[in-house]
Amino acid sequence: MPKPVPLPRLASVPPADPPYDERDGGGHITHPATYGALALAPLPARTGMPTDERRLRGLGQALAEVLAGRRPPETVHDRLTERAYRELVRAGKMIDTERPPLTGLPHVQRPRDGVIEMCLLVHCGTRSRVLAVRLERRGVQWLVTDFETA
């Protein structure tokens, strides 16, 4: 009967980037106890915590589908400020495509605390477009305050 082969031990690997946290003067990590809503699922809204790019992509995908006329704008109403929602409805169908649009990975910037700006490449068949979105934390919720497409 053959002996089982011992498995190698896994060594812990240090993180590639420094942790995304805020420390008070004593070196303790401080996080506000708030949770936001981003994309179509809840998202932790802690200051300094990296944003889940899958949820940002999901929100961008939903906005691209609205701008392509393949999704009613009411489905994202609770993710936009009133002004941004009015602009979305007024914009109507801005992306002309024969097939459903598909967004790529978002390029995310955080110009200041409580603000996220992202741009996504929207694949629309023979011609791709770009969608830029700005989100701001309003209380405990992340809301789209502005968007542009070209």
Side-chain angles (χ1 to χ4, degrees), residues 1-82:
M1 176 177 248
K3 285 184 155 183
V5 177
L7 297 174
R9 293 191 180 261
L10 297 176
S12 63
V13 178
D17 292 328
Y20 297 94
D21 60 17
E22 289 188 6
R23 297 181 184 269
D24 62 13
H28 298 90
I29 299 173
T30 59
H31 294 290
T34 59
Y35 293 93
L38 182 61
L40 304 175
L43 175 71
R46 297 184 185 128
T47 304
M49 185 174 183
T51 305
D52 187 349
E53 291 187 0
R54 289 177 298 161
R55 292 187 181 148
L56 288 173
R57 183 180 182 187
L59 176 60
Q61 178 70 36
L63 289 172
E65 290 172 2
V66 170
L67 293 169
R70 295 186 172 262
R71 174 191 287 252
E74 298 83 28
T75 60
V76 293
H77 181 275
D78 60 337
R79 306 294 184 225
L80 285 81
T81 61
E82 286 299 318

Side-chain angles (χ1 to χ4, degrees), residues 92-123:
K93 184 177 178 181
M94 293 181 71
I95 299 176
D96 189 31
T97 179
E98 294 176 6
R99 62 182 184 94
L102 178 64
T103 59
L105 293 175
H107 296 274
V108 180
Q109 296 290 321
R110 293 171 184 83
R112 67 175 205 266
D113 189 33
V115 176
I116 296 173
E117 293 177 346
M118 69 170 172
C119 63
L120 305 111
L121 186 62
V122 182
H123 304 283

